[in-house]
Amino acid sequence: MVYCCSTCEPLFLCSERQKESAEINASLYALKECIRARASKNTRIPFRSSSLTRILKESFERDGARLCVISCAAPNATDTEHTMETLKTVASIVGVDDQIKEEKAHVVKSQKRESRPVILAPKQWDHEHLKQFLAHKKMNRVQLNETHDGKALMKMSVPQMRAHLFEDRDKELAQKLYNFLRKENDRVSKIQRKEREILKKERKGRV
């Protein structure tokens, strides 16, 4: 049995966490290769590639062994990105990668709410939106490159911000920027939560 779970995006990517993620990815890749080799009736199963597949050696060699893949995906729209990654992993393991298709996201606007401005969370900001936010907060010493957007900065910890965004590695400014982004994210989350509650009440009223 293979259990794949969609997890929250980590905000603190320390070296230990990065190493752990790399080991998990390597184990999943080795598992996928073993499953594909068995499915194609290959005489050589590469189970020595990782500790996980070495433990499962008997399952790959036994004739009556069966594979069961269970994926845990979140139903919320805010977790769509993680859900898609989970489904891609599952599809890759069972060898049906071509059945996962993504379409370009589009916003469906309600006629009653067309005049209401769309509020984006920091991780949804593009480069220009991020620059406008920093200018509004008077964070003029932040050094951005063209690849920096809201999502990239939301993934950074305070030490990473010091190293990559400030020439003088100012700890106080890095902490200030980190707090600004989280406060803005909390503010937008509260607004979006209220809007969902309003929509829910409106739908109940139409039933």
Side-chain angles (χ1 to χ4, degrees):
M1 178 181 291
V2 180
Y3 175 72
C4 296
C5 178
S6 176
T7 57
C8 296
E9 188 172 28
L11 294 177
F12 299 93
L13 296 176
C14 61
S15 58
E16 183 179 348
R17 192 69 181 273
Q18 289 175 342
K19 182 180 178 181
E20 180 184 348
S21 297
E23 290 175 353
I24 292 173
N25 290 335
S27 296
L28 285 175
Y29 178 79
L31 178 62
K32 178 188 70 175
E33 292 303 306
C34 289
I35 292 171
R36 286 186 170 181
R38 178 179 171 83
S40 61
K41 297 182 179 180
N42 195 327
T43 56
R44 180 183 177 277
I45 308 295
F47 59 83
R48 292 187 178 87
S49 300
S50 78
S51 300
L52 173 64
T53 50
R54 283 197 293 271
I55 293 173
L56 298 173
K57 174 186 174 183
E58 182 184 350
S59 299
F60 296 128
E61 295 181 336
R62 186 157 42 88
D63 292 336
R66 294 291 184 269
L67 171 68
C68 176
V69 180
I70 300 175
S71 63
C72 180
N76 301 328
T78 53
D79 296 317
T80 301
E81 182 180 351
H82 304 300
T83 298
M84 287 302 300
E85 290 302 320
T86 297
L87 294 176
K88 287 177 182 177
T89 300
V90 172
S92 177
I93 288 175
V94 298
V96 290
D97 311 56
D98 57 336
Q99 295 186 22
I100 298 295
K101 297 180 180 179
E102 293 185 64
E103 295 182 359
K104 187 176 181 181
H106 60 280
V107 179
V108 179
K109 294 183 180 180
S110 171
Q111 291 183 352
K112 293 182 179 180
R113 300 181 181 276
E114 285 183 350
S115 59
R116 183 174 294 182
V118 177
I119 301 176
L120 299 176
K123 69 176 183 179
Q124 297 174 300
W125 295 347
D126 58 17
H127 182 73
E128 289 302 320
H129 196 140
L130 176 60
K131 286 174 61 178
Q132 292 175 10
F133 175 79
L134 295 177
H136 176 69
K137 294 296 184 180
K138 297 181 180 180
M139 297 291 292
N140 302 322
R141 290 169 59 185
V142 179
Q143 295 183 330
L144 299 177
N145 59 44
E146 294 181 356
T147 63
H148 284 143
D149 55 16
K151 184 177 181 180
L153 265 65
M154 286 297 290
K155 287 182 177 180
M156 291 185 182
S157 62
V158 174
Q160 288 175 321
M161 288 182 175
R162 290 180 63 195
H164 299 290
L165 302 179
F166 295 94
E167 186 177 2
D168 55 359
R169 301 174 65 88
D170 191 307
K171 181 179 180 180
E172 184 177 344
L173 282 178
Q175 185 67 58
K176 190 175 181 180
L177 174 59
Y178 182 90
N179 293 339
F180 275 151
L181 290 170
R182 265 87 198 146
K183 286 180 180 178
E184 179 64 14
N185 188 68
D186 291 343
R187 185 186 74 85
V188 173
S189 295
K190 289 179 181 178
I191 294 174
Q192 292 175 340
R193 195 178 303 115
K194 287 181 180 179
E195 289 185 346
R196 286 195 296 269
E197 290 174 357
I198 292 172
L199 282 173
K200 189 175 180 180
K201 290 179 181 178
E202 290 179 350
R203 288 170 183 168
K204 285 184 177 179
R206 289 196 292 264
V207 176

